[in-house]
């Protein structure tokens, strides 16, 4: 039987525990939603003050050069690269994940349409269970292009084998599913896509900073992802896009704004793309928000994804073991894979009153979230979640379920 003091001992032995002090977490809160909005690095407040008061306030427009604002998307991309198995000059932090998906998908379709062998391919294969914006963006591009472009939705990873065929232009998948925490086998699926002549686009929204990712080694073609989730970049912080060196010369995306021009300040009337990853940029970036991303990445620079992964699995294993030992008599269904190789950094349980139970947990300061249908999501972020947090969260869950301390008629907020 696992006890609270056993969890305390694990915290004492945890080499990552000191990093928690670099985050500003409110007193009395157990934050299990870093998969949706990461906690604030303490350094972000001083950085915001510096950007707003000094760089904007004092230096004004000179900061584009003096404070390196213009290079910020690439500089942050280089800092993020090692976390996802990318090289320098392969990543930029810019725009939103939805917009980056649009650019990457359009570039992939364009590349196929202009290749001799694959010009007739018109199908984008993705999962019905993918995060909606990914599916919507694919549907938007397909319907806007017309000419036979379509989105093919699959219902399980096993269907990839039959769904990816000679008509497939691009396979677009989210590496770790937002609802279930299921993690795809990136290497195997990328190889399958290539064997069928398709390009492979990965969404790393729930992977970057959560699990080790090795885009180049695993043979991915394009990738995008969020910085405001596990990377702790701040609400609505710009996302990232990765294009490997081998695809950059041919990379053409339709949002050909001036930041992707070869000589943006020559003010030429003809668009001529710059070289390298800055081709993925469009226009002026939200510098105040972008600057916060660096504070999150600075914490990651003090550890490694392998160390974080070991603790993440220990936290999710502990959570599952405690829920099973103490809530076994309740109608909770584990929807996250038990197998480590298939599990991201979250644990999801379905419960018929999932929304109401989560509201009761949040009212006690145990913050997770809820996704339809019936799914309570608990995100585990090894940078600032302790083993005792896991114990205390399950303790609250046991009390709420055993004594039905939840409001079965709880009304839905706009954001669940
Ligand atoms: C969170 C998430 C997004 C968010 O996209 P935005 O453009 O930032 O709203 C996109 N895709 C996936 C898979 C996500 O998990």
């Amino acid at each position: 039987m696992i006890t609270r003091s056993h969890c305390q001992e694990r915290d004492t032995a945890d080499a990552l525990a000191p990093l928690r002090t670099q985050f500003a977490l409110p007193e009395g809160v157990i934050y299990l939603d870093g998969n949706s909005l990461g906690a604030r690095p303490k350094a972000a407040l001083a950085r915001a003050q510096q950007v707003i008061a000094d760089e904007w306030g004092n230096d004004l427009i000179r900061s584009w050069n003096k404070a390196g604002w213009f290079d910020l998307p690439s500089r942050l991309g280089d800092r993020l690269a090692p976390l996802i198995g990318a090289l320098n000059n392969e990543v930029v932090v810019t725009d939103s994940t939805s917009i980056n998906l649009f650019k990457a998908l359009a570039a992939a379709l364009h590349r196929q349409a202009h290749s001799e062998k694959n010009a007739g391919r018109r199908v984008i294969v993705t999962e019905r269970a993918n995060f909606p914006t990914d599916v919507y963006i694919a549907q938007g591009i397909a319907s806007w292009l017309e000419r036979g472009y379509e989105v093919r939705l699959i219902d399980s990873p096993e269907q990839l084998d039959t769904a990816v065929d000679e008509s497939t232009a691009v396979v677009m998948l989210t590496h770790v599913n937002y609802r279930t925490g299921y993690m795809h086998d990136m290497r195997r699926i990328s190889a399958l896509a290539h064997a069928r002549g398709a390009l492979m686009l990965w969404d790393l929204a729930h992977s970057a900073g959560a699990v080790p990712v090795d885009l180049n080694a695993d043979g991915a073609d394009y990738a995008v992802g969020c910085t405001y989730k596990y990377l702790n970049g701040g609400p609505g912080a710009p996302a990232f896009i990765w294009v490997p060196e081998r695809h950059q010369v041919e990379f053409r995306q339709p949002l050909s704004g001036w930041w992707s021009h070869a000589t943006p300040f020559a003010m030429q009337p003809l668009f001529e793309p710059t070289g390298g990853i800055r081709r993925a940029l469009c226009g002026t970036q939200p510098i105040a928000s972008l600057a916060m991303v660096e504070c999150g990445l600075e914490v990651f620079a003090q550890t490694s994804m392998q160390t974080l992964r070991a603790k993440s699995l220990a936290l999710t294993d502990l959570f599952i073991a405690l829920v099973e030992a103490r809530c076994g008599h309740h109608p909770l269904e584990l929807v996250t894979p038990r197998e480590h190789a298939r599990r991201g950094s979250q644990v999801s349980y379905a419960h018929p009153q999932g929304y109401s139970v989560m509201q009761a947990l949040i009212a006690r300061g145990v913050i997770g979230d809820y996704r339809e249908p019936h799914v309570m999501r608990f995100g585990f972020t090894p940078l600032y979640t302790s083993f005792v947090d896991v114990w205390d969260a399950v303790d609250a869950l046991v009390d709420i379920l055993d004594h039905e301390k939840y409001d079965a008629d709880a009304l839905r907020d706009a954001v669940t």
Side-chain angles (χ1 to χ4, degrees):
M1 189 64 198
I2 307 160
T3 61
R4 192 172 191 275
S5 67
H6 162 89
C7 296
Q8 278 166 329
E9 282 163 27
R10 293 187 75 171
D11 284 331
T12 309
D14 173 20
L16 287 172
L19 292 182
R20 182 185 173 103
T21 61
Q22 297 186 30
F23 290 90
L25 287 161
E27 208 47 51
V29 160
I30 297 174
Y31 194 59
L32 303 179
D33 217 351
N35 52 311
S36 202
L37 174 63
R40 173 172 76 82
K42 283 182 183 160
L45 198 57
R47 181 78 183 114
Q49 172 83 20
Q50 181 190 26
V51 170
I52 292 168
D54 301 342
E55 298 180 2
W56 178 19
N58 288 331
D59 292 334
L60 291 158
I61 200 156
R62 291 168 288 189
S63 284
W64 286 108
N65 294 313
K66 194 175 160 196
W69 285 355
F70 189 63
D71 292 328
L72 200 51
S74 339
R75 203 164 69 237
L76 295 175
D78 286 347
R79 293 207 75 164
L80 192 148
L83 303 184
I84 55 171
L87 300 173
N88 275 353
N89 304 312
E90 288 189 337
V91 187
V92 276
V93 179
T94 184
D95 299 333
S96 68
T97 301
S98 301
I99 291 172
N100 287 333
L101 271 168
F102 175 82
K103 292 185 284 194
L105 199 48
L109 294 176
H110 182 268
R111 184 186 167 96
Q112 293 288 48
H114 289 79
S115 86
E116 231 163 84
K117 272 201 334 256
N118 296 329
R121 293 170 178 256
R122 294 280 190 275
V123 175
I124 302 161
V125 172
T126 191
E127 286 183 292
R128 197 181 306 279
N130 202 342
F131 189 82
T133 208
D134 298 51
V135 183
Y136 301 161
I137 291 286
Q139 289 168 345
I141 288 196
S143 70
W144 190 77
L145 287 172
E146 300 176 340
R147 292 183 291 128
Y149 278 95
E150 60 171 290
V151 178
R152 185 177 293 160
L153 297 176
I154 57 163
D155 291 299
S156 73
E158 292 72 41
Q159 290 179 0
L160 282 167
D161 195 39
T162 46
V164 183
D165 58 20
E166 69 288 343
S167 67
T168 307
V170 186
V171 181
M172 180 193 79
L173 294 174
T174 297
H175 182 223
V176 175
N177 185 272
Y178 76 102
R179 185 194 282 119
T180 64
Y182 177 93
M183 181 163 70
H184 282 296
D185 183 339
M186 183 178 284
R187 182 169 300 193
R188 189 186 70 76
I189 295 173
S190 302
L192 181 143
H194 293 161
R196 309 278 163 85
L199 290 166
M200 187 69 226
L201 165 55
W202 289 102
D203 186 333
L204 305 179
H206 289 269
S207 310
V211 297
V213 174
D214 205 341
L215 288 167
N216 275 310
D218 286 350
D221 292 302
Y222 309 92
V224 301
C226 289
T227 66
Y228 56 74
K229 294 174 178 167
Y230 290 93
L231 294 174
N232 309 309
F240 63 88
I241 177 167
W242 168 78
V243 182
E245 220 172 75
R246 69 180 193 282
H247 286 333
Q248 286 178 0
V249 172
E250 286 191 68
F251 185 80
R252 274 209 53 205
Q253 55 96 357
L255 301 180
S256 46
W258 70 308
W259 277 43
S260 61
H261 195 280
T263 53
F265 286 92
M267 302 292 168
Q268 292 301 305
L270 272 188
F271 181 74
E272 192 191 316
T274 184
I277 187 60
R278 286 183 77 95
R279 282 187 176 202
L281 298 178
C282 179
T284 307
Q285 294 303 302
I287 296 298
S289 178
L290 194 56
M292 302 301 103
V293 174
E294 190 147 33
C295 303
L297 293 175
E298 272 163 5
V299 186
F300 280 91
Q302 299 164 50
T303 178
S304 72
M305 282 314 302
Q306 277 63 34
T307 306
L308 289 168
R309 176 63 170 165
K311 181 174 171 188
S312 159
L313 287 171
L315 291 169
T316 52
D317 276 344
L318 175 67
F319 185 77
I320 293 169
L322 285 172
V323 169
E324 276 172 5
R326 304 186 60 198
C327 310
H329 49 299
H330 292 291
L332 283 167
E333 183 202 341
L334 178 66
V335 297
T336 300
R338 282 174 200 280
E339 190 190 344
H340 283 179
R342 298 280 72 81
R343 189 195 304 164
S345 198
Q346 72 183 59
V347 177
S348 300
Y349 275 100
H351 183 280
Q353 295 290 338
Y355 183 77
S356 303
V357 174
M358 183 51 76
Q359 289 306 304
L361 280 167
I362 293 171
R364 292 181 184 213
V366 179
I367 303 181
D369 64 16
Y370 173 82
R371 288 295 177 264
E372 295 293 349
H374 310 305
V375 173
M376 295 188 284
R377 276 198 316 184
F378 302 91
F380 295 88
T381 46
L383 290 175
Y384 54 82
T385 305
S386 69
F387 291 94
V388 163
D389 284 342
V390 174
W391 172 274
D392 290 342
V394 175
D395 211 43
L397 181 65
V398 169
D399 185 51
I400 288 165
L401 290 175
D402 280 355
H403 304 103
E404 289 194 31
K405 291 184 182 168
Y406 54 83
D407 172 8
D409 300 319
L411 292 176
R412 301 285 160 98
D413 283 322
V415 176
T416 61

